[in-house]
Amino acid sequence: MTGLKPETREKLKKVATPTLMTALYKRGLRNQWIQDVHRINRDAGPMVGEAFTLRYMPAREDLNQLSVFRDREHPQRKAVEICPPGAVLVMDSRKNPRAASAGSILISRLMVRGVAGVVTDGGFRDTPEIENLGIPAYHNRPSAPTNLTLHQAIDINVPIGCGDAPVFPGDVIVGDAEGVVVIPAHLADEIADETTEMTAFEDFVTEEVLKGRSILGLYPATDEQTNVDFAAWRERTGR
């Protein structure tokens, strides 16, 4: 995957997911938030990368014995080995955390391969170990049972749903301490530019509010004095 520009990646690392969701809302996109997922390792930093997907379907017991992992083409194992460095592995677990989507060994493998993050709308196992990994990992809740209990990995890098959000391969996935947003690939550059500007204004507004200023006329900037003050703030801060 080479569609995500390095400068776009760096901009998105500095933008909060609520700001991104507002920019998407302005474009009529209202379902790009992956519902009910939480970052396990709070200190892992921001997550930005193109989506590489893994789709699970309900497991059929006779096809999901432990012996299936001996097959090097098993979709879960294969996805871990071929997910491109810099991408985010996004798993469709049908919002079912009763069995794990993956565990610390596979997520460690993704980390050392340079993958930018991992997301499931189900659960991960070995979460005490995942808490100490340097790769951002998002899930619904811890789940000790092996994925084979309920999930059959069936397809790689196809369009999926994750936490009610549509995810197409190559979409740009951004995660922070709040959660995960999906940016359609063709919008990534303009969203990054716009939200960088929005972030500067939001930082200015926050400073003003903490000084005691009213939000009326400030947020949104309906008073001309707000624009004058913002321009002066930008000159002073280099933003």
Side-chain angles (χ1 to χ4, degrees), residues 66-100:
L66 284 171
S67 58
V68 300
F69 288 142
R70 293 180 177 273
D71 181 3
R72 293 192 174 200
E73 293 299 306
H74 184 274
Q76 185 210 43
R77 284 350 198 215
K78 184 175 181 179
V80 168
E81 290 294 335
I82 68 173
C83 182
V88 174
L89 180 59
V90 184
M91 304 180 192
D92 173 7
S93 297
R94 310 177 320 285
K95 300 190 294 182
N96 188 343
R98 293 184 300 135

Side-chain angles (χ1 to χ4, degrees), residues 1 52-54 56 69-91 101-115 117-118 135 153 155-157:
M1 294 182 177
F52 187 88
T53 66
L54 172 64
Y56 283 110
F69 288 142
R70 293 180 177 273
D71 181 3
R72 293 192 174 200
E73 293 299 306
H74 184 274
Q76 185 210 43
R77 284 350 198 215
K78 184 175 181 179
V80 168
E81 290 294 335
I82 68 173
C83 182
V88 174
L89 180 59
V90 184
M91 304 180 192
S101 305
S104 64
I105 292 175
L106 300 190
I107 294 174
S108 294
R109 177 60 179 158
L110 291 167
M111 180 183 70
V112 300
R113 293 191 56 252
V115 171
V118 57
I135 181 174
D155 216 346
I156 296 173
N157 219 28

Side-chain angles (χ1 to χ4, degrees), residues 11 13-19 194-213 218-219 226 229-234 236-239:
K11 288 176 183 176
K13 284 182 178 180
K14 300 173 183 176
V15 175
T17 54
T19 305
E194 179 178 323
T195 54
T196 296
E197 293 297 302
M198 290 172 64
T199 298
F201 181 68
E202 289 168 355
D203 289 349
F204 158 73
V205 167
T206 298
E207 286 189 17
E208 293 297 299
V209 169
L210 290 174
K211 292 176 184 176
R213 187 167 175 174
L218 174 67
Y219 188 67
T226 298
D229 293 344
F230 180 46
W233 179 89
R234 297 196 79 164
R236 184 173 71 253
T237 62
R239 299 280 298 277

